[in-house]
């Protein structure tokens, strides 16, 4: 989970750095580069949000499996919460916060910042009454990509066909080639 978050943070951080550097060093804020970096940041932060939602879905799925099966195997180990009642300081006391939900909300916040930077970079689309096809193309591609991520990157609920083969057979065929 955290390796995935680090992966996204690296790309989002690089996009922020590129956007800031472009904005700081250019007199006219290099509209193409600002738009490109804001589009990348928006796509990576939105993808991070979707990955967080997917991770939470599968975490909940496995927690439900544990709920259903633990009484038969371990007893109610997962269903009982042992709490520390001695720590009185609210700043350092343990709290029942969901790490995945916090990460999910944080990814929505980062996505909203990128939406703002993207909107700032895309406008005006036609400065001095000259239509800017490049800006329109980047904007359309970014929006289409976000729709594709949201629409086509969902987990399948259909059963998949799986082929099982003994390890020995697999090892023999690998050595023969």
């Amino acid at each position: 989970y955290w390796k995935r978050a680090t992966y996204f943070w690296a790309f989002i951080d690089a996009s922020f750095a590129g956007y800031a550097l472009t904005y700081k060093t250019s007199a006219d804020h290099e509209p193409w580069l600002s738009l490109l970096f804001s589009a990348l940041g928006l796509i990576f932060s939105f993808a991070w949000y979707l990955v967080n939602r997917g991770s939470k879905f599968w975490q909940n799925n496995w927690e439900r499996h544990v709920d259903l099966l633990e009484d038969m195997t371990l007893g109610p180990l997962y269903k009982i919460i042992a709490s520390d009642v001695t720590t009185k300081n609210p700043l350092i006391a343990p709290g029942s916060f969901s790490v995945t939900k916090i990460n999910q909300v944080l990814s929505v916040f980062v996505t909203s910042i990128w939406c703002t930077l993207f909107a700032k970079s895309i406008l005006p689309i036609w400065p001095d009454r000259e239509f800017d096809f490049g800006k329109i193309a980047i904007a359309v591609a970014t929006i289409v990509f976000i729709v594709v991520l949201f629409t086509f990157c969902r987990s399948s609920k259909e059963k998949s066909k799986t082929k099982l083969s003994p390890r020995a057979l697999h090892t023999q065929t690998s050595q023969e080639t």
Side-chain angles (χ1 to χ4, degrees):
Y1 178 80
W2 289 111
K3 286 183 181 183
R4 250 188 320 241
T6 303
Y7 165 84
F8 281 105
W9 266 111
F11 284 111
I12 292 167
D13 188 40
S15 299
F16 269 127
Y19 185 89
L21 186 63
T22 301
Y23 193 83
K24 180 181 176 185
T25 59
S26 176
D28 61 355
H29 306 302
E30 283 296 326
W32 281 98
L33 289 176
S34 294
L35 181 59
L36 179 65
F37 285 122
S38 64
L40 287 171
L42 178 58
I43 288 169
F44 280 116
S45 60
F46 186 72
W48 178 41
Y49 164 69
L50 293 178
V51 166
N52 287 334
R53 284 186 63 189
S55 294
K56 188 63 179 171
F57 172 84
W58 289 109
Q59 176 189 356
N60 288 343
N61 178 58
W62 287 111
E63 286 174 356
R64 284 188 207 98
H65 280 272
V66 170
D67 277 342
L68 293 171
L69 299 173
E70 73 175 334
D71 290 336
M72 291 185 285
T73 57
L74 300 172
L77 185 63
Y78 178 71
K79 291 179 181 127
I80 296 174
I81 298 172
S83 302
D84 177 10
V85 293
T86 59
T87 307
K88 302 291 185 208
N89 185 339
L91 292 176
I92 61 171
S96 61
F97 297 101
S98 169
V99 175
T100 53
K101 287 179 184 175
I102 290 171
N103 214 13
Q104 217 172 330
V105 170
L106 181 61
S107 64
V108 169
F109 176 72
V110 172
T111 300
S112 66
I113 289 174
W114 279 114
C115 280
T116 304
L117 293 175
F118 183 74
K120 183 182 182 313
S121 297
I122 196 73
L123 298 173
I125 293 175
W126 47 86
D128 300 330
R129 303 209 185 269
E130 186 177 318
F131 194 74
D132 194 339
F133 288 105
K135 280 188 171 184
I136 293 292
I138 291 175
V140 168
T142 302
I143 292 167
V144 165
F145 196 79
I146 286 173
V147 169
V148 165
L149 282 172
F150 190 75
T151 307
F152 298 109
C153 294
R154 295 182 182 266
S155 296
S156 174
K157 293 181 182 175
E158 297 177 14
K159 287 186 175 182
S160 60
K161 294 181 182 178
T162 305
K163 178 184 174 188
L164 300 176
S165 57
R167 184 177 302 273
L169 179 63
H170 179 71
T171 306
Q172 288 174 349
T173 57
S174 296
Q175 291 173 352
E176 292 173 2
T177 56

